[in-house]
DNA sequence: ATGAAAGCGCTAACAT
DNA sequence: ATGTTAGCGCTTTCAT
């Protein structure tokens, strides 16, 4: 019976504070233009009554929801919860709520999903988006979009320097003496995958090594198992996997196949386990600041939403944050990884 | 400039279909009471114009948001993303959106958070809630609540038979010959932890074993490391950890301390890795259907929201789904784990 | 079965 | 600096 939520309205507060409802409204939206004493009177009354603005009403009146969406390919991939955690925390801190969506690694449903989300949010963060380019373009009219770990011409993005990581991994393996390195690819629609392949191939020019690629593969534990077999069959002595989940699959498979010859096989994943050398199971982790990335994405999105200049800025570490407008030469985007 | 979202309203559709806006509204909310031909005419017009009801307006008019909140202690704990994934998928499938919140394992902020969420959602799913009992009670007036892995008298809940799992683990270890078993406790506010301790202690009566407890500890990898040291110092030959994350920490620590004596130490965690025996690193996983649990929680919540009887029902496997009203004797709640 | 009209709680011109 | 007035887009009596 009792609609206990948001029971008391702006009018109740107005009455209690002996002002009009507009003043109460202003006290919340533009406190700087209301008289100091009236302001405190209103706020006090609101506090006393336990008033909280009704989000739906506000959304209807302003056209802004106060919500943002975060879209990930697969929540089960440990890479994304960390990002999501950072994003959610920051959003809340700024007074925004986050809607969550999991695309199940499907580019098509990612598009549908975001389209649906668009109606309930002011903007979305697309993490490791697999969306087709033309869909991305058609999205632009519906809502604000910030990408995380995907570069799209002219779109604001937070990226984790995938190329730099791959290069670092390759150098590491080459230094260990590996001359035939297998790369287990991720999803074909993955921007990070393209970057890593490019970077890996570039290392061929820097050293006498061979890169053998397998895939595209699903970014999963199971695919890692499969990839391990492929890689071993190819005679590679080192394996670079698209992400941690695959790397773990590789490790598991190597173990099952009793591949324990010291320094024989190295495995590298790209999330937390950036360096996982089989024979030294204490993993050297070159951890990417995922929560930080999530937070940055929110900051970038909010900047976009508040129509602040969204100035191009660079954050500490290997994160690259870019506004949508900046014309950036490529050297600017190559931030070395430390 | 162009507000591309939800541009066209119910009136546009009404005009196009030559009916009143009320009829259009009815076509969406109570199609059964509108004439078949008018209905299809309206729907067709809506489709043609690409009409989508405005959620904010609907929320304002009805008082229902169409959103539900899912609250977890820590997204970084791999246990929760899986649940969340299931929950989110089911919610979307039923036309609901999910708001996400991470409490950072803090009971106080969990309460504040849910209180905040309550205004934007029709109900919440509290996963492994650490909330104080009196806060839970005071919440009842604000929003509908369904618990996941926590029993609260009279509250609807989906639980994963923590006690049964612990018993199974203990029996397993006892069968292996262990006589001094360490239990690394989880957070003190955890219902699952209480259940497991209770169940573990019960095993003392079934066999001549000793249970030594350590904690409460944070449900983290780091705490697992710490716990491993404590357990080893106590002379225990088997370690049961509150959850997978801790178990992994234990495994890591044991490895670092070169505890590799065959059959010397066993480690058991409770999430995916229900049975992880050190000397047989291929983990025997008694996986709990986490996504299924998430889905069930949504189903239960929606049933509550739709004022359907929320009949007590039991799902396949070790999941126990309970409505809020059922007076259940304890034997009913003890569902054996398979 | 359908239409007319009031109103959900808030914001945003437009006065003053 | 504050009050008045119209809506925002939908649902929902109440008529018909």
């Amino acid at each position: 019976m009792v609609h206990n939520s948001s029971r008391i309205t702006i009018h109740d507060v107005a009455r209690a504070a002996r002002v009009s409802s507009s003043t109460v409204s202003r006290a919340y939206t533009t406190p700087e233009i209301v008289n100091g004493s009236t302001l405190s009177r209103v706020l006090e009354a609101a506090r006393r009554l336990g008033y909280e603005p009704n989000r739906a009403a506000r959304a209807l009146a302003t056209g802004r929801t106060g919500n943002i969406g975060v879209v990930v390919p697969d929540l089960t991939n440990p890479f994304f919860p960390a990002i999501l955690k950072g994003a959610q925390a920051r959003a809340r801190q700024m007074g925004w709520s986050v809607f969550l969506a999991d695309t199940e690694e499907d580019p098509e449903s990612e598009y549908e999903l975001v389209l649906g989300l668009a109606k309930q949010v002011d903007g979305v963060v697309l993490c490791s988006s697999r969306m087709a380019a033309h869909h991305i373009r058609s999205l632009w009219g519906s809502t604000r979009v910030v990408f995380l770990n995907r570069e799209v011409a002219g779109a604001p993005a937070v990226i984790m320097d995938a190329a730099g990581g791959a290069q670092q991994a390759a150098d590491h393996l080459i230094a260990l003496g590996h001359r035939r390195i297998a790369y287990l690819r991720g999803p074909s629609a993955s921007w990070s995958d393209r970057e890593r392949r490019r970077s890996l191939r570039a290392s061929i020019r820097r050293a006498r090594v061979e890169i053998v690629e397998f895939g595209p593969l699903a970014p999963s534990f199971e695919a890692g198992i499969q990839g391990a077999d492929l890689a071993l069959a190819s005679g590679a002595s080192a394996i670079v996997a698209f992400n941690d989940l695959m790397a773990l699959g590789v490790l598991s498979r190597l173990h099952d196949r009793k591949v324990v010859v010291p320094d024989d096989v190295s495995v590298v994943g790209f999330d937390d386990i950036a360096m996982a050398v089989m024979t030294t199971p204490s993993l050297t982790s070159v951890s990417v600041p995922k929560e930080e990335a999530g937070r940055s994405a929110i900051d970038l999105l909010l900047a976009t939403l508040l129509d602040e200049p969204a100035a191009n800025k660079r954050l500490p570490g290997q994160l690259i944050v870019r506004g949508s407008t900046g014309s950036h030469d490529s050297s600017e985007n190559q931030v070395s990884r430390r």
Side-chain angles (χ1 to χ4, degrees), chain A:
Chain A
M1 287 293 113
V2 249
H3 235 325
N4 206 339
S5 56
S6 266
R7 244 324 27 198
I8 48 103
T9 80
I10 201 171
H11 296 293
D12 301 322
V13 179
R15 202 169 306 122
R18 318 198 113 265
V19 295
S20 79
S21 55
S22 346
T23 302
V24 179
S25 174
R26 284 192 273 261
Y28 280 86
T29 55
T30 49
E32 61 275 12
I33 73 165
V34 4
N35 182 298
S37 60
T38 24
L39 179 59
S40 51
R41 188 151 40 93
V42 168
L43 262 29
E44 167 56 19
R47 200 197 50 66
R48 226 179 48 237
L49 302 184
Y51 167 74
E52 292 266 8
N54 178 319
R55 312 260 307 208
R58 183 176 284 189
L60 182 55
T62 62
R64 319 195 104 211
T65 62
N67 303 326
I68 75 179
V70 176
V71 181
V72 299
D74 177 17
L75 265 177
T76 275
N77 180 339
F79 185 66
F80 297 109
I83 289 178
L84 187 53
K85 180 167 187 155
Q88 194 269 334
R90 176 60 119 254
R92 172 158 300 275
Q93 177 187 353
M94 308 294 279
W96 295 67
S97 302
V98 355
F99 272 126
L100 170 67
D102 180 314
T103 70
E104 317 249 309
E105 290 280 0
D106 177 21
E108 275 302 323
S109 65
E110 180 180 357
Y111 177 62
E112 308 292 352
L113 244 147
V114 175
L115 227 44
L117 257 188
K119 287 158 213 138
Q120 311 178 58
V121 302
D122 297 334
V124 294
V125 174
L126 266 35
C127 301
S128 302
S129 173
R130 275 70 157 119
M131 207 185 292
H134 71 276
H135 277 157
I136 291 178
R137 255 174 269 122
S138 88
L139 213 61
W140 241 107
S142 310
T143 191
R144 296 296 189 180
V145 181
V146 162
F147 289 91
L148 177 9
N149 272 7
R150 165 142 184 191
E151 270 189 305
V152 173
V158 173
I159 63 181
M160 283 173 160
D161 195 17
Q167 183 181 321
Q168 185 182 342
D171 290 348
H172 176 73
L173 295 175
I174 291 167
L176 288 179
H178 295 285
R179 288 297 168 265
R180 192 183 181 85
I181 300 173
Y183 175 57
L184 306 185
R185 296 188 52 193
S188 57
S190 165
W191 169 83
S192 303
D193 186 64
R194 287 198 295 279
E195 287 294 296
R196 283 168 190 154
R197 291 171 69 198
R198 191 168 58 70
S199 178
L200 247 23
R201 290 212 205 88
S203 63
I204 298 177
R205 260 171 268 121
R206 294 199 308 283
R208 285 190 50 79
V209 290
E210 222 180 321
I211 306 284
V212 280
E213 295 184 356
F214 299 97
L217 299 168
S220 66
F221 187 88
E222 290 70 25
I225 292 177
Q226 183 194 345
D229 287 335
L230 294 171
L232 289 180
S234 78
S237 70
I239 303 175
V240 175
F242 171 69
N243 76 344
D244 280 2
L245 230 37
M246 293 179 74
L248 287 173
V250 170
L251 286 169
S252 163
R253 182 57 175 162
L254 292 183
H255 184 274
D256 287 354
R257 289 185 55 168
K258 315 266 183 243
V259 179
V260 285
V261 190
D263 272 333
D264 193 15
V265 176
S266 293
V267 178
V268 176
F270 276 118
D271 297 346
D272 258 345
I273 306 166
M275 300 285 149
V277 183
M278 258 312 277
T279 50
T280 324
S282 65
L283 310 176
T284 308
S285 174
V286 182
S287 181
V288 168
K290 290 178 289 246
E291 296 196 20
E292 174 64 27
R295 272 180 256 129
S296 298
I298 296 298
D299 287 342
L300 189 53
L301 180 56
L302 293 188
T304 307
L305 292 179
L306 301 177
D307 266 332
E308 283 169 21
N312 297 16
K313 53 174 180 167
R314 182 153 307 148
L315 264 58
Q318 51 270 304
L319 245 47
I320 304 173
V321 179
R322 231 198 18 240
S324 51
T325 48
S327 73
H328 33 267
D329 60 38
S330 62
S331 70
E332 277 252 330
N333 282 330
Q334 295 307 116
V335 174
S336 77
R337 200 187 172 86
R338 50 187 68 252

Short mmCIF file of all heavy atoms in Angstrom, two decimals, chain A residues 54-67 119-120 122, chain C residues 9-11, chain D residues 8-9:
data_model
loop_
_atom_site.label_atom_id
_atom_site.label_comp_id
_atom_site.label_asym_id
_atom_site.label_seq_id
_atom_site.Cartn_x
_atom_site.Cartn_y
_atom_site.Cartn_z
N ASN A 54 13.30 13.11 -7.29
CA ASN A 54 12.84 11.95 -8.06
C ASN A 54 13.56 11.94 -9.41
O ASN A 54 13.37 12.81 -10.24
CB ASN A 54 11.34 12.05 -8.24
CG ASN A 54 10.79 10.92 -9.06
OD1 ASN A 54 11.38 10.52 -10.06
ND2 ASN A 54 9.66 10.39 -8.65
N ARG A 55 14.36 10.90 -9.60
CA ARG A 55 15.17 10.83 -10.82
C ARG A 55 14.33 10.76 -12.09
O ARG A 55 14.67 11.34 -13.11
CB ARG A 55 16.09 9.62 -10.78
CG ARG A 55 16.85 9.44 -9.49
CD ARG A 55 18.27 9.92 -9.59
NE ARG A 55 19.01 9.35 -10.69
CZ ARG A 55 20.31 9.17 -10.68
NH1 ARG A 55 21.01 9.47 -9.59
NH2 ARG A 55 20.94 8.70 -11.72
N ALA A 56 13.25 10.01 -12.02
CA ALA A 56 12.43 9.85 -13.22
C ALA A 56 11.85 11.19 -13.64
O ALA A 56 11.88 11.55 -14.82
CB ALA A 56 11.33 8.84 -12.96
N ALA A 57 11.34 11.91 -12.67
CA ALA A 57 10.75 13.22 -12.98
C ALA A 57 11.81 14.15 -13.56
O ALA A 57 11.59 14.85 -14.56
CB ALA A 57 10.15 13.83 -11.73
N ARG A 58 12.95 14.13 -12.95
CA ARG A 58 14.02 14.97 -13.43
C ARG A 58 14.42 14.58 -14.86
O ARG A 58 14.63 15.43 -15.72
CB ARG A 58 15.23 14.84 -12.50
CG ARG A 58 16.37 15.74 -12.87
CD ARG A 58 17.49 15.63 -11.86
NE ARG A 58 17.20 16.34 -10.62
CZ ARG A 58 18.10 16.53 -9.67
NH1 ARG A 58 19.32 16.04 -9.80
NH2 ARG A 58 17.78 17.18 -8.58
N ALA A 59 14.49 13.27 -15.07
CA ALA A 59 14.87 12.78 -16.40
C ALA A 59 13.84 13.24 -17.43
O ALA A 59 14.18 13.68 -18.53
CB ALA A 59 14.96 11.27 -16.38
N LEU A 60 12.59 13.14 -17.06
CA LEU A 60 11.53 13.53 -17.99
C LEU A 60 11.63 15.01 -18.31
O LEU A 60 11.49 15.43 -19.46
CB LEU A 60 10.17 13.22 -17.36
CG LEU A 60 8.97 13.52 -18.24
CD1 LEU A 60 9.09 12.80 -19.58
CD2 LEU A 60 7.69 13.09 -17.54
N ALA A 61 11.88 15.81 -17.31
CA ALA A 61 11.91 17.25 -17.52
C ALA A 61 13.17 17.71 -18.26
O ALA A 61 13.11 18.63 -19.06
CB ALA A 61 11.82 17.96 -16.17
N THR A 62 14.27 17.08 -17.98
CA THR A 62 15.54 17.55 -18.55
C THR A 62 15.99 16.78 -19.78
O THR A 62 16.80 17.28 -20.56
CB THR A 62 16.68 17.45 -17.52
OG1 THR A 62 16.84 16.07 -17.18
CG2 THR A 62 16.38 18.27 -16.30
N GLY A 63 15.51 15.56 -19.91
CA GLY A 63 16.00 14.76 -21.02
C GLY A 63 17.31 14.06 -20.70
O GLY A 63 17.87 13.36 -21.53
N ARG A 64 17.78 14.26 -19.48
CA ARG A 64 19.00 13.56 -19.09
C ARG A 64 18.67 12.58 -17.97
O ARG A 64 17.91 12.90 -17.06
CB ARG A 64 20.07 14.53 -18.61
CG ARG A 64 20.17 15.79 -19.45
CD ARG A 64 21.48 16.51 -19.17
NE ARG A 64 22.43 16.31 -20.24
CZ ARG A 64 23.75 16.29 -20.07
NH1 ARG A 64 24.25 16.38 -18.87
NH2 ARG A 64 24.54 16.12 -21.10
N THR A 65 19.29 11.42 -18.05
CA THR A 65 18.91 10.36 -17.12
C THR A 65 19.78 10.30 -15.88
O THR A 65 19.36 9.79 -14.85
CB THR A 65 19.02 8.99 -17.81
OG1 THR A 65 20.39 8.80 -18.19
CG2 THR A 65 18.14 8.94 -19.04
N GLY A 66 21.01 10.75 -16.00
CA GLY A 66 21.92 10.60 -14.88
C GLY A 66 22.49 9.19 -14.82
O GLY A 66 23.12 8.81 -13.84
N ASN A 67 22.27 8.45 -15.88
CA ASN A 67 22.79 7.09 -15.94
C ASN A 67 23.81 6.96 -17.07
O ASN A 67 23.72 7.65 -18.07
CB ASN A 67 21.68 6.08 -16.20
CG ASN A 67 20.59 6.16 -15.17
OD1 ASN A 67 20.85 6.43 -14.00
ND2 ASN A 67 19.37 5.94 -15.61
N LYS A 119 18.59 4.57 -24.77
CA LYS A 119 17.38 5.29 -24.37
C LYS A 119 17.33 5.55 -22.86
O LYS A 119 16.55 6.36 -22.41
CB LYS A 119 16.15 4.48 -24.77
CG LYS A 119 15.89 4.50 -26.26
CD LYS A 119 15.06 3.32 -26.67
CE LYS A 119 15.43 2.84 -28.07
NZ LYS A 119 15.49 1.38 -28.15
N GLN A 120 18.13 4.82 -22.14
CA GLN A 120 18.06 4.95 -20.69
C GLN A 120 19.30 5.60 -20.09
O GLN A 120 19.41 5.72 -18.87
CB GLN A 120 17.90 3.59 -20.04
CG GLN A 120 16.81 2.75 -20.65
CD GLN A 120 16.74 1.40 -20.00
OE1 GLN A 120 16.55 1.30 -18.81
NE2 GLN A 120 16.91 0.35 -20.78
N ASP A 122 22.77 8.51 -20.62
CA ASP A 122 23.26 9.70 -21.31
C ASP A 122 24.50 9.39 -22.14
O ASP A 122 24.89 10.17 -23.01
CB ASP A 122 23.58 10.79 -20.28
CG ASP A 122 22.33 11.22 -19.53
OD1 ASP A 122 21.23 11.07 -20.10
OD2 ASP A 122 22.44 11.69 -18.39
P DG C 9 4.34 12.46 -7.09
OP1 DG C 9 4.66 11.44 -6.09
OP2 DG C 9 3.28 13.44 -6.84
"O5'" DG C 9 5.67 13.26 -7.43
"C5'" DG C 9 6.82 12.55 -7.82
"C4'" DG C 9 7.79 13.51 -8.47
"O4'" DG C 9 7.22 14.03 -9.68
"C3'" DG C 9 8.15 14.73 -7.62
"O3'" DG C 9 9.55 14.79 -7.54
"C2'" DG C 9 7.55 15.90 -8.36
"C1'" DG C 9 7.55 15.39 -9.78
N9 DG C 9 6.54 15.99 -10.64
C8 DG C 9 5.27 16.38 -10.29
N7 DG C 9 4.58 16.88 -11.30
C5 DG C 9 5.45 16.80 -12.37
C6 DG C 9 5.26 17.19 -13.72
O6 DG C 9 4.26 17.69 -14.25
N1 DG C 9 6.39 16.94 -14.50
C2 DG C 9 7.56 16.39 -14.01
N2 DG C 9 8.55 16.21 -14.89
N3 DG C 9 7.75 16.02 -12.75
C4 DG C 9 6.65 16.25 -11.99
P DC C 10 10.31 15.99 -6.89
OP1 DC C 10 11.49 15.45 -6.22
OP2 DC C 10 9.37 16.84 -6.16
"O5'" DC C 10 10.81 16.76 -8.17
"C5'" DC C 10 11.79 16.14 -8.98
"C4'" DC C 10 11.83 16.78 -10.34
"O4'" DC C 10 10.49 17.02 -10.79
"C3'" DC C 10 12.50 18.15 -10.37
"O3'" DC C 10 13.86 17.99 -10.80
"C2'" DC C 10 11.69 18.95 -11.38
"C1'" DC C 10 10.52 18.05 -11.74
N1 DC C 10 9.22 18.74 -11.70
C2 DC C 10 8.69 19.28 -12.87
O2 DC C 10 9.34 19.18 -13.91
N3 DC C 10 7.49 19.90 -12.83
C4 DC C 10 6.81 19.97 -11.68
N4 DC C 10 5.62 20.58 -11.68
C5 DC C 10 7.33 19.44 -10.47
C6 DC C 10 8.53 18.84 -10.52
P DT C 11 14.78 19.30 -10.74
OP1 DT C 11 16.16 18.79 -10.81
OP2 DT C 11 14.34 20.17 -9.64
"O5'" DT C 11 14.42 20.02 -12.11
"C5'" DT C 11 14.75 19.35 -13.31
"C4'" DT C 11 14.37 20.21 -14.50
"O4'" DT C 11 12.98 20.57 -14.46
"C3'" DT C 11 15.15 21.52 -14.63
"O3'" DT C 11 15.45 21.65 -16.01
"C2'" DT C 11 14.14 22.57 -14.15
"C1'" DT C 11 12.83 21.96 -14.65
N1 DT C 11 11.58 22.33 -13.92
C2 DT C 11 10.51 22.77 -14.64
O2 DT C 11 10.53 22.92 -15.85
N3 DT C 11 9.38 23.06 -13.89
C4 DT C 11 9.24 22.93 -12.52
O4 DT C 11 8.18 23.20 -11.96
C5 DT C 11 10.41 22.45 -11.83
C7 DT C 11 10.36 22.28 -10.35
C6 DT C 11 11.52 22.19 -12.55
P DC D 8 5.70 19.32 -24.10
OP1 DC D 8 6.23 19.83 -25.37
OP2 DC D 8 4.41 18.61 -24.05
"O5'" DC D 8 6.77 18.36 -23.42
"C5'" DC D 8 8.15 18.66 -23.36
"C4'" DC D 8 8.83 17.61 -22.50
"O4'" DC D 8 8.58 17.91 -21.12
"C3'" DC D 8 8.28 16.21 -22.75
"O3'" DC D 8 9.19 15.52 -23.61
"C2'" DC D 8 8.25 15.56 -21.36
"C1'" DC D 8 8.46 16.72 -20.38
N1 DC D 8 7.34 16.95 -19.41
C2 DC D 8 7.59 17.03 -18.04
O2 DC D 8 8.75 16.88 -17.63
N3 DC D 8 6.56 17.26 -17.19
C4 DC D 8 5.32 17.43 -17.67
N4 DC D 8 4.35 17.67 -16.79
C5 DC D 8 5.05 17.36 -19.06
C6 DC D 8 6.07 17.11 -19.89
P DG D 9 8.60 14.92 -24.98
OP1 DG D 9 9.79 14.57 -25.77
OP2 DG D 9 7.56 15.80 -25.54
"O5'" DG D 9 7.90 13.56 -24.50
"C5'" DG D 9 8.69 12.55 -23.91
"C4'" DG D 9 7.79 11.52 -23.27
"O4'" DG D 9 7.04 12.14 -22.21
"C3'" DG D 9 6.75 10.90 -24.21
"O3'" DG D 9 6.79 9.51 -24.04
"C2'" DG D 9 5.44 11.51 -23.75
"C1'" DG D 9 5.71 11.70 -22.27
N9 DG D 9 4.91 12.72 -21.62
C8 DG D 9 4.43 13.89 -22.18
N7 DG D 9 3.75 14.62 -21.33
C5 DG D 9 3.77 13.89 -20.14
C6 DG D 9 3.21 14.18 -18.88
O6 DG D 9 2.55 15.16 -18.54
N1 DG D 9 3.48 13.17 -17.95
C2 DG D 9 4.20 12.04 -18.23
N2 DG D 9 4.35 11.19 -17.22
N3 DG D 9 4.74 11.76 -19.40
C4 DG D 9 4.49 12.72 -20.31
#
